[in-house]
Amino acid sequence: MENTTTTYEKIGGDAAVGKLCDRFYELMDTVPQFKELRAMHPESLQGSRDKLYMFLSGWFGGPDLFVEKFGHPRLRARHMPFAIGTQERDQWVACMVLAMEDVGIEESIRAKLLENFFNTADFMRNKEG
């Protein structure tokens, strides 16, 4: 029988996805290196955190919570209102790397996720620079 363990299961399921999202937004909110990224978000980060949590749940192979609530993610279309260049992409990715490290996601899983996160974040770019 083929092993079909999902990333969601490998990292610890719902609790791990929640911790990752909490840490990501905590870092974004408190680390000066991410100030431009933080400025793109509303004062309260709870809604953004909840949407990332729902999205990552399904993206990691767990319950497809975002699709159930909002329909297809249409990531690029949903991010078009925001000016996203290389600086914003790099801040998002760096924040996620720190969050993954801080919550203890295994290095081999982090490496694969980093590749996927970078590619997705790069696809969100909609401005020069």
Side-chain angles (χ1 to χ4, degrees):
M1 183 172 218
E2 186 178 326
N3 182 355
T4 58
T5 304
T6 64
T7 299
Y8 182 83
E9 294 166 324
K10 289 177 186 174
I11 67 169
D14 179 70
V17 175
K19 286 179 188 174
L20 177 63
C21 293
D22 289 344
R23 186 63 181 145
F24 176 81
Y25 283 103
E26 179 183 10
L27 289 165
M28 183 196 298
D29 199 32
T30 61
V31 176
Q33 170 188 345
F34 306 131
K35 68 181 180 182
E36 291 84 5
L37 180 63
R38 175 61 178 98
M40 298 172 73
H41 290 77
E43 184 177 338
S44 171
L45 293 171
Q46 190 62 49
S48 299
R49 180 260 179 224
D50 291 347
K51 286 179 181 173
L52 181 63
Y53 161 78
M54 289 184 273
F55 174 76
L56 290 181
S57 176
W59 199 56
F60 288 162
D64 216 351
L65 304 173
F66 189 94
V67 171
E68 291 170 10
K69 185 163 186 171
F70 300 106
H72 189 282
R74 300 180 2 251
L75 289 180
R76 189 154 167 83
R78 290 183 196 272
H79 288 82
M80 270 303 179
F82 308 100
I84 301 171
T86 54
Q87 179 184 39
E88 294 80 12
R89 175 202 64 199
D90 292 349
Q91 285 185 16
W92 194 96
V93 171
C95 190
M96 184 56 76
V97 166
L98 289 174
M100 288 191 296
E101 290 172 358
D102 287 354
V103 301
I105 293 177
E106 181 184 309
E107 195 281 326
S108 63
I109 297 171
R110 283 196 326 257
K112 182 62 179 162
L113 288 176
L114 172 57
E115 180 182 339
N116 292 333
F117 281 135
F118 179 85
N119 290 337
T120 303
D122 193 53
F123 183 65
M124 296 302 112
R125 288 187 308 120
N126 57 22
K127 74 173 189 176
E128 291 296 318

